[in-house]
Amino acid sequence: MVEMCSDQRALLFHVLTILFITVVSVQQGYGNGSVKLELIHRHGNGTGRKWSSFPLRQLLHRDAIRLAAISEKLSMAKTESIAATTSRRRIQESNAYYFSACKNGTVSGQLPMHSGADAGAGQYFVHFRVGSPAQRVVLVADTGSDLTWMNCKYSCHGVRCRRRKKKKERDFRKRRVFLADHSSSFRTLPCSSAMCKVDLANLFSLARCPSPMDPCAYDYRYSDGSAAVGLFANETVTFRLTTGRKLKLHNVLVGCSESSRGESFQGADGVMGLAYSNHSFAVTAAARFRGKFSYCLVDHLSPKNVSSYLIFGSHDESRVTLGRMRYTELVLGVLSSFYAVNLRGISVGGSMLDIPTETWDVNGVGGLIIDSGSSLTSLVQPAYQPVMAAIRLTLLNFANLNLDIGPLEYCFNSTGFDESAVPRLAFHFADGARFEPHVKSYVIDAAPGVKCLGFVPAAWPGSSVIGNIMQQNHLWEFDIVNRRLGFAASSCST
């Protein structure tokens, strides 16, 4: 067994959290038609140097909680097939309307994205301009969330509101907030409306309605105990187009969170819901911009000052410099609001692993989803064991350090390690497409001289998740209208 000195162990626990950090970077200067959202990495120090201190255990804990939340959400979805069918039909009708209206347009939109690394979590941040005049807030970009909300200050009339206003001022004294009173386009939804009572029930709208025109309220809960409490409203969102001009989207559903708590939002002002659901921002914005959005994740060790974009609309194919785009079916509305794919199997070194076919059955008890909010890739037990065993066979000369760092099973002293000796991992989709991540995306850097296998086990039955580290250095296109997922190797440089 390879031993580590105490200093090396201490450094590991500070630096290993970079495993959960990825910067999304899509190049500036995208051609005809694209909306870009700039991502911010939470753990970057903005200096261009390697990361030096991160709360590893905290990040591992968040990933574990997110996996549990995904499992719970998928379990609930299995019992709501009728509602899911209705939801899919509404989304399709909405997309058809917008896409028909804009089918001749080639202009796309962009929102700035930067690394959120310095905030202590492995997620990406988007600069979001909302209101009239526009105010800037920074939101977590999450393909697994339905509701888009931001910390918000909204006053109203009456004694009860004045008292609540004082509390809100205390809540937000140290945070950036959206000032709803300063926006001429802010319109709350009546709590007596069918929109509040029925359409927003899945977004945790509350039943209370003191008077018919009182705002529709929500209490949005997350599995880790985090929560956001506030009011639903329609607002105007501003995009910068690739032509240099600006475009305003009106009547976009947002949440005005008067209070929020929990580690899920650390460093951000709220969450951008990019899931596939009736009222998610992804569906609303992508429908306006040719029915698609895309992003490119740079190396997860990239510093905070590496700029990138979340693109709504067509991306510039010339930017895919390292490989051609491949496409596979995007399975929508089956595994809740997640973006699922049909996988045939996984190979290591060109040899298909012995994994039961039901492991990948999205219509059964398995499946695979693409998730920007998860850092590591989680595999259900029937897939996890064969994948780990196959890769570990190539690392026999590197003893397991047996570090107590939660679900990461295998970390080793990487002195003398050459990634060219590791056989390539590949995800084989049912329609023939193949995704081959870089070795650094699954044999990941933890600290100087230490690497880990970047997989965590998930319970079976259940679904597996391709996290953002596995997605790095690839361009990913979510084509909602045509129900296909595109991907290609890319440097993701600006």
Side-chain angles (χ1 to χ4, degrees):
M1 173 179 172
V2 179
E3 297 292 340
M4 297 179 66
C5 65
S6 58
D7 290 342
Q8 190 177 17
R9 286 180 179 272
L11 181 58
L12 170 66
F13 287 113
H14 287 303
V15 179
L16 188 54
T17 53
I18 191 59
L19 302 179
F20 304 95
I21 303 156
T22 308
V23 180
V24 175
S25 177
V26 179
Q27 299 164 324
Q28 295 182 11
Y30 271 81
N32 295 328
S34 50
V35 174
K36 303 178 185 177
L37 305 183
E38 189 172 356
L39 295 178
I40 308 171
H41 202 299
R42 284 188 170 179
H43 296 286
N45 54 22
T47 65
R49 296 177 296 180
K50 298 298 183 183
W51 320 106
S52 58
S53 63
F54 308 100
L56 169 62
R57 293 181 183 276
Q58 184 181 35
L59 292 179
L60 282 166
H61 178 62
R62 289 178 187 170
D63 242 26
I65 289 174
R66 183 174 180 86
L67 180 59
I70 289 174
S71 297
E72 180 181 354
K73 190 174 181 179
L74 291 175
S75 176
M76 293 175 61
K78 296 293 184 180
T79 63
E80 299 174 349
S81 57
I82 295 178
T85 299
T86 301
S87 177
R88 289 197 298 273
R89 184 170 63 251
R90 289 176 179 173
I91 296 173
Q92 290 164 5
E93 290 171 352
S94 174
N95 285 349
Y97 170 78
Y98 281 109
F99 191 63
S100 175
C102 308
K103 62 183 179 181
N104 294 322
T106 58
V107 175
S108 301
Q110 61 188 29
L111 295 179
M113 303 178 79
H114 299 287
S115 166
D118 54 352
Q123 297 167 317
Y124 309 97
F125 292 167
V126 177
H127 283 207
F128 193 60
R129 299 187 66 83
V130 60
S132 301
Q135 302 174 41
R136 185 180 68 86
V137 292
V138 177
L139 307 181
V140 174
D142 189 358
T143 57
S145 289
D146 303 284
L147 176 63
T148 294
W149 62 267
M150 57 269 186
N151 293 327
C152 178
K153 184 177 179 181
Y154 174 62
S155 62
C156 51
H157 301 286
V159 175
R160 178 178 61 87
C161 295
R162 285 198 297 271
R163 288 174 179 172
R164 187 154 53 91
K165 181 178 178 181
K166 291 181 180 179
K167 180 180 184 300
K168 285 186 287 185
E169 289 175 348
R170 290 195 298 270
D171 290 343
F172 292 126
R173 189 161 41 202
K174 297 182 180 180
R175 291 187 283 175
R176 178 171 49 228
V177 300
F178 172 70
L179 301 175
D181 294 332
H182 294 186
S183 172
S184 62
S185 53
F186 185 83
R187 297 288 185 272
T188 59
L189 301 178
C191 60
S192 58
S193 65
M195 179 80 165
C196 180
K197 294 179 178 180
V198 180
D199 294 351
L200 300 179
N202 289 336
L203 296 184
F204 300 96
S205 62
L206 300 178
R208 69 169 184 258
C209 192
S211 65
M213 295 310 295
D214 273 8
C216 180
Y218 61 82
D219 187 348
Y220 202 87
R221 298 283 171 167
Y222 296 81
S223 294
D224 64 349
S226 300
V229 177
L231 310 171
F232 288 108
N234 285 322
E235 253 297 5
T236 296
V237 175
T238 302
F239 282 92
R240 181 171 295 279
L241 303 177
T242 47
T243 60
R245 301 178 63 183
K246 293 181 180 179
L247 175 72
K248 294 182 182 296
L249 294 184
H250 302 287
N251 296 318
V252 176
L253 180 72
V254 298
C256 170
S257 290
E258 301 172 293
S259 67
S260 62
R261 67 174 186 274
E263 297 177 350
S264 295
F265 328 123
Q266 182 178 340
D269 307 320
V271 174
M272 176 178 286
L274 296 176
Y276 181 74
S277 62
N278 285 329
H279 303 292
S280 81
F281 184 74
V283 170
T284 300
R288 175 60 180 84
F289 294 98
R290 302 177 65 84
K292 63 180 70 173
F293 70 93
S294 59
Y295 57 69
C296 195
L297 306 185
V298 300
D299 188 290
H300 65 281
L301 294 178
S302 298
K304 175 183 177 180
N305 58 1
V306 175
S307 181
S308 61
Y309 292 91
L310 176 62
I311 308 295
F312 279 92
S314 300
H315 59 80
D316 187 351
E317 291 283 351
S318 67
R319 296 297 187 177
V320 184
T321 56
L322 303 181
R324 63 180 180 84
M325 289 292 290
R326 294 175 171 82
Y327 295 94
T328 189
E329 179 186 3
L330 191 59
V331 182
L332 300 174
V334 176
L335 295 183
S336 187
S337 56
F338 295 108
Y339 296 100
V341 290
N342 285 313
L343 198 68
R344 178 168 62 89
I346 296 177
S347 68
V348 174
S351 298
M352 293 296 294
L353 301 179
D354 185 14
I355 301 173
T357 55
E358 59 264 27
T359 303
W360 314 119
D361 186 1
V362 296
N363 295 304
V365 294
L368 178 70
I369 66 175
I370 310 295
D371 184 34
S372 70
S374 299
S375 298
L376 294 181
T377 290
S378 62
L379 299 174
V380 293
Q381 288 294 343
Y384 176 80
Q385 296 298 343
V387 168
M388 290 292 289
I391 299 177
R392 287 183 65 165
L393 280 177
T394 68
L395 302 173
L396 294 177
N397 293 330
F398 301 92
N400 190 350
L401 293 174
N402 294 316
L403 300 175
D404 181 18
I405 51 175
L408 286 180
E409 178 182 315
Y410 190 82
C411 295
F412 60 94
N413 186 316
S414 60
T415 302
F417 174 78
D418 182 357
E419 70 174 29
S420 65
V422 178
R424 296 300 293 270
L425 174 82
F427 294 83
H428 299 260
F429 298 104
D431 47 17
R434 184 179 68 185
F435 166 50
E436 191 173 290
H438 303 285
V439 172
K440 67 179 180 180
S441 297
Y442 50 94
V443 183
I444 52 184
D445 291 314
V450 178
K451 292 182 182 291
C452 298
L453 296 189
F455 301 93
V456 293
W460 174 255
S463 297
S464 299
V465 179
I466 293 182
N468 55 43
I469 292 180
M470 192 68 75
Q471 298 175 46
Q472 68 183 354
N473 289 121
H474 279 75
L475 173 67
W476 296 87
E477 178 188 83
F478 297 79
D479 189 338
I480 296 174
V481 167
N482 295 307
R483 292 175 170 264
R484 68 175 187 172
L485 175 70
F487 55 92
S490 175
S491 64
C492 301
S493 58
T494 55

